[in-house]
Amino acid sequence: MSPIINVEHLDYRYPQQAADQLTLHDISFTVMPGEWVAIVGHNGSGKSTLAKNLNGLLAPAAGKITVDGQVLSETTVWDIRKKIGMVFQNPDNQFVGATVEDDVAFSLENQGIPRPEMLTRVRAALAQVNMQDFATREPARLSGGQKQRVALAGMIAARPQILILDEATSMLDPRGRQEVLTTIREMKANSALTVLSITHDIDEAASANRVLVINDGEVKEEGTPAEIFQHGESLIKMGLDMPYAERLKAALKRLGVQVPTQYLTEKGMADWLWQLRSNK
Amino acid sequence: MMNKLIFGRYIPGESVVHHMDPRAKLLLSFYFIGIIFIANNWPTYVLLFAFTLAAIYLSGVKWSFFINGVKPLIWLILFTVILQVLFSASGGHVYFQWGIITISQLGLINGVYIFCRFVLIIFMSTLLTLTTPPLELSDAIEYLLMPLRAVHFPVYEVALMLSIALRFVPTLMDETEKIMNAQRARGVDFGEGNIFQQMRAVVPLLIPLFVSSFNRAEDLATAMEARGYQGGEGRSKFRILKWHARDTWATGCFAVLTIALIFLRG
């Protein structure tokens, strides 16, 4: 299987930066179709810049980006944008439509899809994110989580192959975050969707197949969530929170309890604790 | 403060007037303002009032909204009426004369006519905005501007601007409120002191609002581009307007009204 996203030696510099200062430096990675990759890193590490490079919203200074066999260039940029759906951070600022259904239809309108098909697609997409009762609501009367679900519905209707979440859950409360993540998991289960999520959220990173750690515009580490979560307290330096099991381990360690070094899920941690007591 | 504003507000409803095509409503409202000037005697004004009140009755909107619609303009109306009464040329019986000021029978009648005209125009335009969601109005304006494409007027772009502007009005109002409260919490007094102090107090509200609007515009443009927006050409439309039989009937009613007015005209 060939990778759906292939980034080779990507450099990016903002126009106001000096020649030796790069926001992204020599970034290379590949994403396979159907994979969920989380990109983590502290603020200002270049994650969002990377996301905007992938669909041509920003033009790289050097390097090559290939999406689904097409090399990103000025002629292919609109084709590539059709394949990539992006959900941004601020739910208010990306809501283009005057009502929920208008917003979901916006990408379809841009692609010139005939109206009867738009109607069925918009209805199906709203049903999938469980927002069908809000179809004619205005954005001012929706919560942040609902607006992000509408943004996702817009992506479902447009049927991209790749979904990029640029800190899409960072302005939501824990419940809104859960709603959005559940919707994305369902979307992934229903289609061969590739997800690239840029995040500080531990649950979102834990949902991924692979985690890329970016620091100062360079890929510092790459591994499964379990491998990355082993880092314990240095996770905070990477811009991620510590998982609950890791925090518990750290607290136990301070109390002098011998804890396993490998990453354990909450369930794994519970099993280990049960064993610890019964061995005595 | 904004809640008192009747103009531009929409009252949801299920009446015949609500379900009319916004193009029909917009055009007929403008047409009505035009034919008001045909009226020049009592029977014609009575007919116009009867027609307007019937339209209001059909819409099912509360009368108080219309009265409130007239209220903010009442001083302008009275001012015009009084000028008309005091300075119009004498005709009929003269009740009072002093210098250039003349109160005559004709002047008084003209004053009442002008009052009626104002009230009719305000009633009809209030009816339009109360029964039509802003979004439908912007659709109607887009449709009616279509012929201007022949002279390369960017109709799609203007329509998109209008719809985005309308969509962001409540968002920006909320933000204004938030900034005002944030500045109040830091000791800014809004609406106090003399006019210059009040104007200076607006600056810490206006500048953050400006900056945040730029940020919003930037984010929105990025999101639109990421979703494949390449300009107005080649787009299909999700919302379409439908002309129903009731719209044809309404147009018919206005035609009958016009004929009746011309007939009754003195």
Side-chain angles (χ1 to χ4, degrees):
Chain A
M1 211 161 35
S2 59
I4 191 156
I5 301 175
N6 190 13
V7 179
E8 290 170 54
H9 310 295
L10 180 73
D11 280 358
Y12 183 82
R13 176 188 309 120
Y14 280 99
Q16 63 267 36
Q17 280 179 316
D20 56 334
Q21 275 184 313
L22 288 169
T23 307
L24 296 176
H25 178 57
D26 198 23
I27 296 230
S28 298
F29 67 94
T30 57
V31 180
M32 299 309 268
E35 216 181 355
W36 183 330
V37 175
I39 299 177
V40 302
H42 61 77
N43 288 336
S45 58
K47 301 170 306 231
S48 296
T49 311
L50 176 61
K52 285 182 184 160
N53 269 282
L54 290 179
N55 70 351
L57 289 169
L58 295 174
K64 194 171 101 180
I65 296 169
T66 318
V67 177
D68 193 32
Q70 276 184 307
V71 178
L72 182 69
S73 70
E74 242 172 81
T75 47
T76 58
V77 67
W78 292 105
D79 281 333
I80 285 176
R81 279 183 195 159
K82 270 186 210 165
K83 294 175 186 172
I84 300 180
M86 262 181 116
V87 179
F88 296 92
Q89 183 174 18
N90 190 321
D92 254 325
N93 295 2
Q94 57 180 316
F95 206 110
V96 187
T99 64
V100 166
E101 52 185 9
D102 283 303
D103 192 63
V104 175
F106 184 73
S107 304
L108 305 180
E109 287 180 323
N110 291 336
Q111 291 177 24
I113 285 165
R115 189 168 182 270
E117 198 190 330
M118 266 203 274
L119 284 175
T120 52
R121 279 215 215 171
V122 167
R123 227 167 271 155
L126 283 176
Q128 205 176 327
V129 299
N130 209 7
M131 288 288 288
Q132 61 273 54
D133 300 337
F134 299 85
T136 53
R137 287 275 185 101
E138 283 130 42
R141 293 165 63 205
L142 298 176
S143 74
Q146 286 173 331
K147 276 179 226 170
Q148 288 304 63
R149 266 152 64 203
V150 172
L152 282 176
M155 298 303 129
I156 294 173
R159 296 178 187 162
Q161 290 163 276
I162 303 160
L163 181 64
I164 299 180
L165 306 165
D166 188 355
E167 300 192 34
T169 58
S170 66
M171 288 177 88
L172 305 181
D173 58 13
R175 192 162 149 216
R177 194 172 291 176
Q178 273 310 317
E179 283 173 359
V180 170
L181 281 180
T182 311
T183 311
I184 295 165
R185 284 193 204 104
E186 277 167 16
M187 271 172 86
K188 246 184 101 15
N190 294 342
S191 60
L193 187 71
T194 309
V195 179
L196 213 69
S197 69
I198 290 165
T199 184
H200 292 288
D201 181 42
I202 198 78
D203 288 335
E204 212 174 310
S207 298
N209 304 110
R210 200 146 52 91
V211 179
L212 285 183
V213 182
I214 293 191
N215 192 18
D216 293 333
E218 289 177 57
V219 179
K220 277 277 139 66
E221 248 189 287
E222 203 182 325
T224 60
E227 283 164 8
I228 300 295
F229 292 163
Q230 266 180 31
H231 293 295
E233 288 185 347
S234 62
L235 282 171
I236 292 163
K237 261 185 237 143
M238 296 177 186
L240 267 179
D241 214 359
M242 277 165 72
Y244 176 70
E246 284 297 321
R247 270 184 288 158
L248 183 61
K249 257 198 253 173
L252 287 171
K253 213 171 168 179
R254 277 197 292 277
L255 293 171
V257 182
Q258 281 288 322
V259 288
T261 47
Q262 82 273 23
Y263 170 71
L264 294 172
T265 57
E266 275 176 37
K267 190 176 173 308
M269 194 71 195
D271 289 344
W272 177 77
L273 282 170
W274 279 111
Q275 275 174 15
L276 184 77
R277 297 304 298 163
S278 56
N279 284 350
K280 276 189 179 170
Chain B
M1 172 183 82
M2 299 297 178
N3 294 335
K4 283 186 196 155
L5 217 64
I6 290 297
F7 186 76
R9 244 176 80 188
Y10 167 63
I11 312 289
E14 291 295 321
S15 71
V16 189
V17 184
H18 280 90
H19 285 297
M20 265 176 71
D21 189 300
R23 288 168 297 182
K25 274 193 269 188
L26 191 66
L27 281 180
L28 291 178
S29 307
F30 278 120
Y31 180 70
F32 185 80
I33 291 169
I35 58 172
I36 282 175
F37 294 96
I38 296 178
N40 65 353
N41 57 11
W42 288 116
T44 46
Y45 275 106
V46 169
L47 180 67
L48 280 173
F49 260 102
F51 189 85
T52 311
L53 296 184
I56 291 174
Y57 178 75
L58 276 177
S59 75
V61 180
K62 275 195 217 125
W63 297 99
S64 58
F65 282 113
F66 295 90
I67 306 298
N68 288 339
V70 176
K71 266 184 196 161
L73 293 169
I74 195 73
W75 294 115
L76 178 75
I77 298 173
L78 288 182
F79 180 70
T80 319
V81 168
I82 288 167
L83 278 188
Q84 180 75 26
V85 169
L86 292 185
F87 297 107
S88 71
S90 57
H93 184 75
V94 177
Y95 300 108
F96 177 79
Q97 193 158 25
W98 184 71
I100 51 164
I101 295 173
T102 319
I103 297 181
S104 67
Q105 195 182 2
L106 190 72
L108 280 176
I109 289 173
N110 269 338
V112 175
Y113 283 170
I114 282 178
F115 183 79
C116 290
R117 269 183 207 166
F118 266 113
V119 171
L120 282 170
I121 291 174
I122 294 167
F123 274 15
M124 213 33 136
S125 47
T126 311
L127 184 67
L128 172 74
T129 54
L130 286 181
T131 59
T132 319
L135 190 61
E136 282 190 15
L137 269 184
S138 86
D139 282 346
I141 293 169
E142 178 183 6
Y143 185 86
L144 296 174
L145 287 178
M146 276 305 172
L148 289 181
R149 281 177 64 200
V151 292
H152 300 292
F153 183 79
V155 175
Y156 293 118
E157 280 72 15
V158 168
L160 186 79
M161 259 164 57
L162 209 60
S163 118
I164 289 177
L166 285 172
R167 172 245 168 286
F168 272 99
V169 166
T171 312
L172 288 177
M173 293 254 247
D174 282 352
E175 180 148 20
T176 312
E177 187 91 30
K178 256 185 226 160
I179 297 173
M180 268 178 109
N181 285 338
Q183 300 287 24
R184 272 198 198 113
R186 288 162 178 76
V188 176
D189 282 328
F190 290 105
E192 273 177 38
N194 63 33
I195 184 102
F196 289 106
Q197 283 167 330
Q198 282 194 33
M199 270 159 69
R200 272 184 54 188
V202 172
V203 175
L205 171 67
L206 225 49
I207 290 178
L209 202 58
F210 234 82
V211 172
S212 102
S213 300
F214 275 110
N215 289 335
R216 277 184 200 281
E218 170 105 40
D219 279 2
L220 188 71
T222 310
M224 282 170 69
E225 212 180 322
R227 288 167 74 180
Y229 180 76
Q230 289 184 72
E233 297 300 325
R235 294 185 81 218
S236 50
K237 274 182 73 74
F238 179 70
R239 261 177 301 121
I240 52 160
L241 300 169
K242 272 204 199 94
W243 188 275
H244 295 281
R246 54 175 166 265
D247 301 308
T248 316
W249 278 108
T251 314
C253 289
F254 273 80
V256 172
L257 175 74
T258 315
I259 295 166
L261 280 178
I262 293 171
F263 191 72
L264 289 173
R265 200 177 135 89

